[in-house]
Amino acid sequence: MLKKTLLAAVALSVLAGSAMAQDVKVLRIGLDGSENEADQIRNTQCVADGLKAATGVPEVQIFPSPDYNGVIQGLLGGTIDIASMGASSYAAIAIKDPKAVDPILTYTQSDGSSGYYSIMVARKDSGIKTLADLKGKKLGFADPDSTSGYLVPNVALPKEIGAPVKEYFSETGFGGGHENLVLAVLDKKFDAGTTFGSGVGKWEDGYTGGNLHQMVNKGNLDMDDIVEVWKSPLIPNGPLMVNNKLPEAMRAKVEAYFMELPKKDHDCFKSYTQGDNKEYIKVDPSFYQTIVDARKSVIGG
């Protein structure tokens, strides 16, 4: 009798979890504006289709934002369910509300590493080759919530240039996302700018992953037109975040889908993670604690 009671309880628990997952009528994927909207939507559509099939949710919607903060606020407010962003964006959320989202997965590069680099580039015809050449010139950042495009340079550069960023450069500004920032450098709106790349592979390919690689693949950047002025220390790859307002059963289905994605549809995985990447690995908040601390010190809450 006891055995039957226990089995019935387990069955009811499984059914309840399944029912809660099925109660979710729509999943909403946020896009942070680091790349132009049309390309981001195209690169994410396969994920939306795959999630719909894997979770049984009737609808998966893609929500592009013009900037990082739009997705951050959506995750905080519960209007965005899933997003892949840089570690600084996660830190912004964790500082405001540690219980809002969980960082569940991150990807590894083709060489198995789980980090990338902030890369400062300048036009080759500018004659700028080193940080010393940039003293008194105009520096562009990608977005105030970008890890590689703002936070890490503001932490690491002062140690190398021996001065605060605002004192060393004549002017700083934002490009409106990574792609637009590189285009602004090419258009001479900035003397140099900070974007990101895997740091692995060939320079002419824009490395194996990251913004430079994406731009080369789309044909709107020739790496012969730019030079690498500076590269940061290794940055932990940004997390795939899931909103904790989703039922636990649904969060588990979402995680299972993404864990299997590199094996089941590697082209979709590479498209969504913006590079020739290898696989997803599990992470938790401790993986990003150094970035959370850095954001507190540079930007605050």
Side-chain angles (χ1 to χ4, degrees), residues 186-209:
L186 292 172
D187 289 341
K188 303 183 179 181
K189 295 176 182 176
F190 298 107
D191 295 299
T194 53
T195 185
F196 72 100
S198 66
V200 177
K202 298 178 181 179
W203 171 254
E204 57 264 35
D205 296 333
Y207 296 120
T208 59

Side-chain angles (χ1 to χ4, degrees), residues 50-198:
L51 270 173
K52 185 176 178 180
T55 63
V57 169
E59 187 177 4
V60 177
Q61 298 175 351
I62 299 172
F63 283 89
S65 170
D67 57 26
Y68 288 50
N69 189 53
V71 181
I72 290 170
Q73 296 307 318
L75 288 166
L76 283 167
T79 58
I80 296 294
D81 300 309
I82 302 163
S84 289
M85 301 181 76
S88 183
S89 295
Y90 162 69
I93 298 167
I95 291 168
K96 292 279 187 183
D97 183 0
K99 296 181 180 179
V101 303
D102 277 335
I104 58 169
L105 304 172
T106 193
Y107 61 89
T108 62
Q109 263 82 260
S110 57
D111 66 342
S113 63
S114 57
Y116 66 110
Y117 298 89
S118 172
I119 297 171
M120 185 187 296
V121 298
R123 296 183 317 279
K124 182 179 283 187
D125 63 9
S126 69
I128 296 169
K129 296 180 181 178
T130 67
L131 289 173
D133 297 331
L134 275 169
K135 187 173 184 179
K137 297 189 183 298
K138 189 174 181 180
L139 177 65
F141 296 113
D143 185 283
D145 289 305
S146 169
T147 314
S148 59
Y150 183 70
L151 178 61
V152 168
N154 275 278
V155 171
L157 280 174
K159 300 173 186 176
E160 298 198 34
I161 60 181
V165 167
K166 289 185 178 181
E167 291 180 12
Y168 192 81
F169 301 97
S170 63
E171 187 179 347
T172 61
F174 293 102
H178 285 274
E179 183 173 320
N180 287 336
L181 182 277
V182 174
L183 294 175
V185 170
L186 292 172
D187 289 341
K188 303 183 179 181
K189 295 176 182 176
F190 298 107
D191 295 299
T194 53
T195 185
F196 72 100
S198 66

Side-chain angles (χ1 to χ4, degrees), residues 256-276:
Y257 164 75
F258 280 104
M259 278 295 288
E260 290 297 312
L261 181 60
K263 299 174 186 176
K264 291 188 174 180
D265 191 344
H266 198 69
D267 286 340
C268 179
F269 167 71
K270 290 194 294 183
S271 174
Y272 187 61
T273 58
Q274 298 187 334
D276 186 16

Side-chain angles (χ1 to χ4, degrees), residues 283-301:
V283 294
D284 60 29
S286 66
F287 190 77
Y288 297 104
Q289 190 58 50
T290 56
I291 301 297
V292 173
D293 294 341
R295 184 173 177 107
K296 284 181 181 177
S297 68
V298 173
I299 302 174

Side-chain angles (χ1 to χ4, degrees), residues 228-251:
E228 182 176 295
V229 179
W230 172 78
K231 185 164 71 174
S232 74
L234 191 69
I235 306 167
N237 285 340
L240 174 74
M241 296 174 281
V242 176
N243 204 305
N244 284 329
K245 286 184 171 63
L246 285 176
E248 185 176 346
M250 180 55 67
R251 295 200 306 272

